[in-house]
Amino acid sequence: MTHFGHCPACGTEIPAERQFDGMIVCECGWTSSVKNQAANTKMNDRVCIAIAVFAALLVASFIQVVNWDSYALSIIPLKGKQITQSASAADLNQIVEICLDRKKINCAEEALMDIYQLDNTQTDSLARLGDLQMQASRYAEAVKTYDLYFGLTDVKPNLDSRFNYAKALAATNQTEKAEKYFKSILKSKPGVLQVTVTRHYIKMLVANEKYKKAKATLDYFRRQGTNTKLFMEKEYKEIKKKLSRNIASF
């Protein structure tokens, strides 16, 4: 009776009685150890695991470089500090700049909020956060951020943040509050036509059917000089038509 099949060396059938303490011995001299096979299998498993780990590290490194380019190494300790909440304001500001350079807006926003939570005297981080949210057209989030920022008593908002706040308020249908900020920006430079601000203000008024205010605002700025007489001429004509229709409907 054979139990172990044929010898791989000579092809002779190997009977069961030629097993000695885990060792198989053929008449031709070929031998095989069960213990050696187990050891080889274990070694092969270790080699496969090592190869898999190396491949995973290689892929992770490639992804890291693709995501962060020249910042692939410098961002690692910085993000590590951020995750463990041991980052300083300087560390977080460095993260912000790296994220912005790599066009990772969500990453920059998270770091800006962390800066303010770490040190609430760093109010500029709120303004920058709101500005980034406006760039991403996330108006409701921007309003919440600006509400916090403009609600602080010791801040001196620049015109850009005030303008962004006004646009965010207008986009979220908070017209009266938006109007307040649009007016404050326009009044900050008396007699000067702030083209972009005025356009947004007029469009908001028209969208909310406040045609009289829109016409009065345009009349004021169109009287400021010869170069402004035809400012927003198309919109001005439409506003006058709307007003004439409203009068005719009485």
Side-chain angles (χ1 to χ4, degrees):
M1 175 182 178
T2 60
H3 184 70
F4 297 100
H6 293 78
C7 171
C10 69
T12 304
E13 292 184 346
I14 305 174
E17 59 266 21
R18 296 195 68 83
Q19 176 184 4
F20 306 96
D21 190 26
M23 181 77 71
I24 303 170
V25 182
C26 179
E27 292 178 352
C28 72
W30 175 86
T31 62
S32 176
S33 171
V34 175
K35 292 180 180 178
N36 287 342
Q37 289 178 350
N40 288 336
T41 299
K42 193 171 184 179
M43 178 61 71
N44 288 336
D45 288 344
R46 288 178 178 174
V47 171
C48 289
I49 291 172
I51 292 173
V53 170
F54 177 76
L57 290 173
L58 193 63
V59 171
S61 299
F62 175 74
I63 293 172
Q64 180 75 359
V65 171
V66 169
N67 280 332
W68 297 102
D69 194 36
S70 59
Y71 305 109
L73 292 178
S74 59
I75 193 64
I76 293 174
L78 291 170
K79 292 297 285 184
K81 289 181 182 180
Q82 184 183 20
I83 291 170
T84 58
Q85 298 183 342
S86 60
S88 65
D91 292 328
L92 293 168
N93 270 308
Q94 195 174 349
I95 291 174
V96 171
E97 299 309 321
I98 291 174
C99 292
L100 289 177
D101 190 52
R102 294 298 300 152
K103 304 294 188 294
K104 295 181 179 293
I105 303 303
N106 290 338
C107 165
E109 290 178 4
E110 183 181 350
L112 285 168
M113 181 53 75
D114 285 348
I115 291 171
Y116 181 71
Q117 290 175 343
L118 179 67
D119 180 4
N120 57 21
T121 65
Q122 302 273 342
T123 55
D124 284 349
S125 63
L126 287 177
R128 291 188 71 187
L129 175 58
D131 293 346
L132 285 178
Q133 289 167 337
M134 281 298 293
Q135 288 178 27
S137 301
R138 300 206 309 272
Y139 304 117
E141 291 178 45
V143 166
K144 289 181 180 179
T145 301
Y146 287 130
D147 281 344
L148 178 58
Y149 176 60
F150 283 85
L152 300 172
T153 56
D154 57 343
V155 301
K156 295 180 179 179
N158 58 42
L159 284 178
D160 287 339
S161 292
R162 286 160 64 188
F163 182 38
N164 278 334
Y165 190 25
K167 289 189 291 183
L169 290 166
T172 54
N173 298 316
Q174 300 181 57
T175 309
E176 290 185 9
K177 197 171 181 180
E179 190 173 341
K180 169 188 168 184
Y181 280 93
F182 275 124
K183 283 183 176 180
S184 72
I185 298 168
L186 294 173
K187 288 178 180 179
S188 67
K189 297 179 180 180
V192 176
L193 175 59
Q194 299 180 59
V195 176
T196 304
V197 179
T198 306
R199 284 186 180 279
H200 276 87
Y201 179 46
I202 295 298
K203 287 180 179 179
M204 184 196 72
L205 292 175
V206 170
N208 287 273
E209 300 183 354
K210 296 186 175 184
Y211 303 120
K212 286 185 179 180
K213 279 187 179 180
K215 182 177 181 300
T217 302
L218 283 177
D219 282 339
Y220 171 78
F221 285 111
R222 286 160 68 97
R223 287 196 299 266
Q224 298 306 305
T226 55
N227 293 331
T228 60
K229 286 183 178 180
L230 297 177
F231 176 62
M232 295 187 74
E233 180 67 10
K234 181 180 177 181
E235 292 84 352
Y236 188 70
K237 289 179 178 179
E238 288 297 321
I239 290 168
K240 289 177 69 176
K241 284 182 182 179
K242 294 286 185 181
L243 285 171
S244 63
R245 287 173 189 167
N246 288 344
I247 293 172
S249 64
F250 281 102

